[in-house]
Amino acid sequence: MAEASQRVFLALWPGPEVAARLHQISLEAEERCGGRCMRRDTLHITLAFLGEVAESRLPLIGEAMAALQVGRFRLRIDTSGYWAHNRIVWAGGRAWPEQLDALVGDMRRALADAGLPVAAENAFFPHVTLLRKAHAVEALPDFEPIDWPVDEWVLVVSCPSSDGVGYRRLAGWPLT
Ligand code: 2AM
């Protein structure tokens, strides 16, 4: 019998205040674009999507992540956009701190060294998905920039839930 696996990814998860601000933008965008608003507690930025990983290999991710050392940083979420290919409305930043690139680069190298490469076609474009199945509009709502202090990253598993997909935190690592 094939070994059980989990659909996992590494992500930044906002605290309640940032999640509330992002959710408010989702609601305003939904009025214009329709679609399905992501639940407030599911909002996040994916740093590395691993997909299905055999359960016996999950500890390798923990070992690889525990060796990383990256300093704390803050994100400024100050823009949003629409992707026609997957009908997503997202929020993101016009600029990103160097530490975010360092974290993602170090993370991907550590995963590859552990035999868990992140597919190369997944170029990193940091974003928070706000709406799915939305339609294009001329202009998305304006919003005051959001200051997001980042002090950890997390390993999350996607699991089916009654209202779409749910996420469960498996582990987290502090930025120093
Ligand atoms: P999305 O929000 O842009 O769809 C859980 O599904 C998380 O992993 C989401 O943030 C999702 O990004 C991301 N994700 C899902 N499939 C992915 C893939 N093939 N490559 C990169 N990220 C993916």
Side-chain angles (χ1 to χ4, degrees):
M1 200 170 76
E3 190 188 345
S5 64
Q6 306 260 26
R7 184 179 164 87
V8 294
F9 58 100
L10 291 149
L12 303 179
W13 223 266
E17 287 171 22
V18 171
R21 292 281 317 277
L22 290 166
H23 185 59
Q24 185 57 37
I25 300 166
S26 310
L27 295 174
E28 287 167 24
E30 188 185 27
E31 284 181 17
R32 298 189 190 189
C33 317
R36 186 162 54 83
C37 208
M38 298 297 94
R39 285 202 325 268
R40 180 172 25 202
D41 59 308
T42 65
L43 297 169
H44 65 273
I45 293 177
T46 293
L47 302 178
F49 180 77
L50 288 148
E52 294 291 332
V53 174
E55 283 178 358
S56 63
R57 305 189 80 201
L58 291 175
L60 295 175
I61 302 174
E63 286 164 26
M65 294 301 102
L68 301 189
Q69 279 217 319
V70 176
R72 290 175 185 214
F73 54 89
R74 308 182 86 87
L75 299 176
R76 183 178 155 94
I77 305 293
D78 59 0
T79 189
S80 60
Y82 174 76
W83 285 327
H85 72 280
N86 55 10
R87 300 179 58 202
I88 277 178
V89 172
W90 53 269
R94 291 186 167 88
W96 297 96
E98 279 173 14
Q99 295 101 316
L100 179 61
D101 285 331
L103 175 61
V104 171
D106 290 357
M107 177 182 283
R108 290 181 178 217
R109 275 186 289 279
L111 291 168
D113 290 348
L116 293 159
V118 176
E121 75 258 22
N122 295 333
F124 179 55
F125 183 88
H127 66 280
V128 182
T129 296
L130 302 178
L131 298 178
R132 294 191 190 278
K133 300 193 173 156
H135 58 77
V137 287
E138 290 222 335
L140 287 161
D142 284 330
F143 59 92
E144 285 293 308
I146 301 173
D147 175 44
W148 175 344
V150 181
D151 54 15
E152 69 162 6
W153 75 98
V154 291
L155 175 66
V156 179
V157 59
S158 306
C159 22
S161 83
S162 50
D163 54 348
V165 74
Y167 300 123
R168 185 163 51 87
R169 174 191 165 122
L170 293 179
W173 299 271
L175 293 162
T176 47

